[in-house]
Amino acid sequence: MITLKTSVFDLKMELIQNFINGQHISSDSSESLDIYEPATGEIYGQLRDSNANDIDHAVRSAKTAFALWSDLTVHERAVHLNNIAKGIEKRLDEFAEIESRDTGKPIALSRSLDIPRSVLNFKFFAEHGENFEFNYDLNNETSQNHINRSPLGVVACISPWNLPLYLFTWKIAPALITGNTVIAKPSELAPYTAYMLGKVCQEVGLPPGVLNIVNGMGSTCGELLVKHKEIKAISFTGGTSTGKLISQSASKTFKKLSLEMGGKNPAIIFEDCNYELMLENILRASFSNQGQICLCSSRLLIERTIYEKFKNDFSLKVSELLIGDPLKTETQFGSISSKGHFDKVVSYIDMVKEEGGKIIAGGKSVKLEGRCSNGWFIEPTLVDGLSPSSRLNQEEIFGPVVTLQSFETESEAIDLANNTDYGLSATVWTKDLEKGQRVSKKIDAGVIWVNCWLLRDLRTPFGGMKNSGLGREGGDDAIKFFTEQKNICIPV
Ligand code: NAD
């Protein structure tokens, strides 16, 4: 039984507007984009593909607001951030329903992960900013050096569709606490909770122009942000090929860049692991949000001695996942987030045979009854028998397709783990914590979890190596990214 608030039904065919200078306003552009509910395949809204006039308007508004906002104390800005957090928290259920509707993710996940984490992002950076040393002195016999950090000015935050509000706010909160004003662009595929965030900012009295939200395609609206000479930094999360384009474009105006990109994350499963704990967590790590989390494990590397047992046990667990309407609370596995992405994932499944692999679980698209009969659903899929160099083991699929490979020795496991161009995250499963540490040190990835997955302390550096990222987010790293240092030297 689905219980939806009237407000969610009211979303039908709403036009998502830009949020500029504290107001939701119409775009100057006449180019419109449809917004789909992926679980039903139906259009429920539209947005405009913002043009250069819209972006200039947002930049003017952010520049004007910068004078006031950067002049506030960190504490005064923290009060605003905490008010935004409370504003989202007050409407948590509504936000969660809309996030689920926009992306096809199970509502249980948006209620327990996406929206609570978005609230926490504001609360965390409010507190972290207040505790951060923005100024310090280094003195010696000849000079006094006063070092201080100041905001950059107007900055842009560009985020993807998989964890829409979670990743949007993860960038916005540190940018704001440090005194910058922001132009943020959500994914054109899942823009609705960003639109609601604008409403919350209005409700809680965030000064106009401090946060501006623009909508549109990456290749138009996103590119305009990246090229704009008044924008001082770009914090981007998305695909590696987009990151490459952004890096090329941004270099022309010497912008600061933080790039969080794709992954092909290994899970190394040793014979001596806590088997039941590992099995539960590998299921979550592989198929949460239908495998559409950049940190999901997509390559399972299993010690040869337990390979067959793991294969059988894991296949069974995977086949028991409840696929269904994302808006039903019992659903464990929802839809793929867009038709384009559905086609991409299917194309990789179609490749399995010619790549020499075998599907051992799932592998088919799913036709549900009723409301979701035209939705974009794919079974959680396991593949084995592929060579490490196959496309399925090398390329980011970013969906519910996970490969299994076996290894004999620790060094073989490490070689397999490092055998891609990506280096975002990894997990290691063993009761021998010395081995866990030893192996982790040799893995080229920015985040390594031993006997756990997605356990986050927001103070820790977050980001990838190789083609997965440039720079780190979280804690002090985010504060440093959004500020510029100055040394004032006075002789003694
Ligand atoms: P994407 O790169 O297509 O889009 C991400 C954002 O960038 C969107 O807002 C899009 O409109 C914008 N964009 C696209 N082209 C642009 C351009 N030329 N200039 C400026 N902006 C542009 O990615 P996606 O499909 O939305 O998201 C999936 C990808 O995101 C996957 O590769 C996934 O691994 C990655 N991701 C990484 C992390 C991380 O923390 N490393 C987290 C989540 C997702």
Side-chain angles (χ1 to χ4, degrees):
M1 173 70 184
I2 306 165
T3 47
L4 284 176
K5 287 196 174 76
T6 324
S7 59
V8 176
F9 280 120
D10 288 348
L11 297 181
K12 284 261 177 221
M13 294 316 293
E14 191 162 339
L15 178 68
I16 291 186
Q17 292 177 309
N18 289 340
F19 180 65
I20 297 179
N21 206 27
Q23 299 296 322
H24 278 107
I25 55 166
S26 299
S27 161
D28 181 61
S29 163
S30 53
E31 296 295 319
S32 58
L33 301 169
D34 292 330
I35 307 162
Y36 289 86
E37 180 182 5
T40 61
E42 278 173 28
I43 296 169
Y44 73 85
Q46 278 195 330
L47 54 78
R48 296 273 187 264
D49 192 13
S50 298
N51 64 20
N53 290 337
D54 296 316
I55 303 303
D56 282 341
H57 185 188
V59 171
R60 280 198 306 279
S61 132
K63 267 189 87 171
T64 306
F66 180 73
L68 174 149
W69 184 249
S70 59
D71 216 29
L72 297 183
T73 63
V74 179
H75 175 70
E76 286 166 330
R77 292 196 290 263
V79 170
H80 282 288
L81 263 63
N82 279 319
N83 286 341
I84 298 173
K86 282 184 215 141
I88 302 172
E89 209 165 20
K90 224 168 62 189
R91 296 162 73 174
L92 193 143
D93 285 343
E94 200 185 335
F95 266 98
E97 279 179 5
I98 286 166
E99 201 71 298
S100 169
R101 186 178 178 116
D102 234 9
T103 58
K105 70 178 65 201
I107 190 154
L109 188 68
S110 53
R111 268 193 199 138
S112 62
L113 178 74
D114 292 75
I115 309 306
R117 173 58 192 274
S118 309
V119 170
L120 184 61
N121 287 340
F122 283 110
K123 286 186 180 169
F124 168 77
F125 277 110
E127 189 184 345
H128 199 74
E130 287 211 70
N131 293 328
F132 187 85
E133 288 290 336
F134 285 88
N135 307 312
Y136 62 97
D137 290 348
L138 287 176
N139 299 328
N140 59 38
E141 313 81 62
T142 56
S143 65
Q144 286 179 341
N145 294 280
H146 305 288
I147 295 130
N148 60 60
R149 286 188 172 269
S150 45
L152 304 174
V154 179
V155 299
C157 301
I158 302 178
S159 59
W161 49 259
N162 65 320
L163 299 167
L165 193 66
Y166 172 136
L167 291 173
F168 201 55
T169 53
W170 177 234
K171 297 177 176 306
I172 291 169
L176 291 182
I177 194 67
T178 43
N180 301 282
T181 51
V182 174
I183 305 177
K185 189 194 101 53
S187 167
E188 60 276 27
L189 297 171
Y192 214 104
T193 47
Y195 178 56
M196 288 175 63
L197 176 65
K199 293 192 186 246
V200 166
C201 290
Q202 258 177 339
E203 277 164 22
V204 302
L206 185 73
V210 168
L211 173 63
N212 304 274
I213 300 171
V214 293
N215 290 285
M217 298 279 289
S219 53
T220 47
C221 168
E223 179 78 9
L224 285 164
L225 291 173
V226 174
K227 286 191 168 150
H228 205 291
K229 60 181 189 325
E230 301 280 3
I231 293 177
K232 305 299 178 200
I234 304 283
S235 174
F236 165 80
T237 298
T240 298
S241 54
T242 311
K244 209 176 270 178
L245 285 176
I246 289 180
S247 166
Q248 285 158 358
S249 275
S251 67
K252 300 200 176 79
T253 44
F254 295 109
K255 287 182 173 49
K256 268 184 120 174
L257 270 191
S258 164
L259 302 176
E260 294 296 338
M261 304 182 286
K264 192 73 186 171
N265 310 311
I268 302 183
I269 302 169
F270 286 104
E271 177 194 56
D272 65 355
C273 66
N274 176 334
Y275 191 79
E276 287 309 317
L277 176 88
M278 175 277 295
L279 210 57
E280 272 311 313
N281 279 282
I282 289 289
L283 185 71
R284 212 164 55 83
S286 301
F287 294 114
S288 287
N289 202 29
Q290 299 74 252
Q292 303 169 130
I293 298 180
C294 56
L295 304 164
C296 277
S297 305
S298 51
R299 294 180 298 138
L300 308 185
L301 314 177
I302 305 125
E303 192 160 359
R304 167 85 65 207
T305 45
I306 56 164
Y307 187 80
E308 286 304 318
K309 174 173 167 53
F310 174 82
K311 188 168 127 177
N312 294 333
D313 293 345
F314 195 52
S315 302
L316 183 66
K317 273 214 171 289
V318 167
S319 66
E320 286 170 353
L321 279 172
L322 185 61
I323 307 173
D325 185 338
L327 294 175
K328 289 186 177 171
T329 47
E330 65 273 24
T331 294
Q332 295 172 311
F333 192 90
S335 72
I336 302 299
S337 292
S338 68
K339 175 69 166 75
H341 196 52
F342 172 90
D343 291 342
K344 175 182 164 182
V345 176
V346 167
S347 77
Y348 277 96
I349 294 175
D350 288 346
M351 228 179 262
V352 168
K353 224 173 167 183
E354 78 193 58
E355 291 253 296
K358 188 170 169 228
I359 292 172
I360 54 174
K364 292 193 280 301
S365 52
V366 179
K367 190 115 185 98
L368 295 179
E369 300 280 305
R371 196 182 88 86
C372 296
S373 58
N374 292 318
W376 303 311
F377 293 82
I378 297 176
E379 290 174 336
T381 299
L382 299 179
V383 182
D384 85 340
L386 292 160
S387 95
S389 60
S390 63
R391 289 186 61 189
L392 275 98
N393 270 326
Q394 290 294 323
E395 297 173 14
E396 186 189 43
I397 302 172
F398 205 56
V401 180
V402 168
T403 67
L404 275 64
Q405 299 172 75
S406 69
F407 65 84
E408 304 264 359
T409 63
E410 203 175 296
S411 68
E412 194 191 347
I414 293 163
D415 287 348
L416 281 171
N418 288 337
N419 181 28
T420 72
D421 292 335
Y422 294 102
L424 186 54
S425 75
T427 61
V428 180
W429 301 89
T430 173
K431 280 190 202 145
D432 177 350
L433 291 184
E434 235 171 70
K435 177 158 80 178
Q437 295 259 18
R438 189 167 66 232
V439 170
S440 299
K441 282 190 183 138
K442 293 200 174 140
I443 297 175
D444 301 330
V447 187
I448 297 164
W449 283 290
V450 179
N451 299 328
C452 60
W453 178 71
L454 206 50
L455 186 58
R456 294 279 290 120
D457 176 333
L458 301 188
R459 293 170 304 173
T460 58
F462 174 86
M465 296 179 182
K466 303 193 315 197
N467 287 1
S468 289
L470 198 68
R472 293 290 181 272
E473 294 188 315
D476 289 357
D477 288 277
I479 303 260
K480 287 178 183 168
F481 175 74
F482 284 114
T483 50
E484 193 77 271
Q485 288 198 88
K486 189 183 288 175
N487 179 31
I488 301 167
C489 176
I490 303 170
V492 288

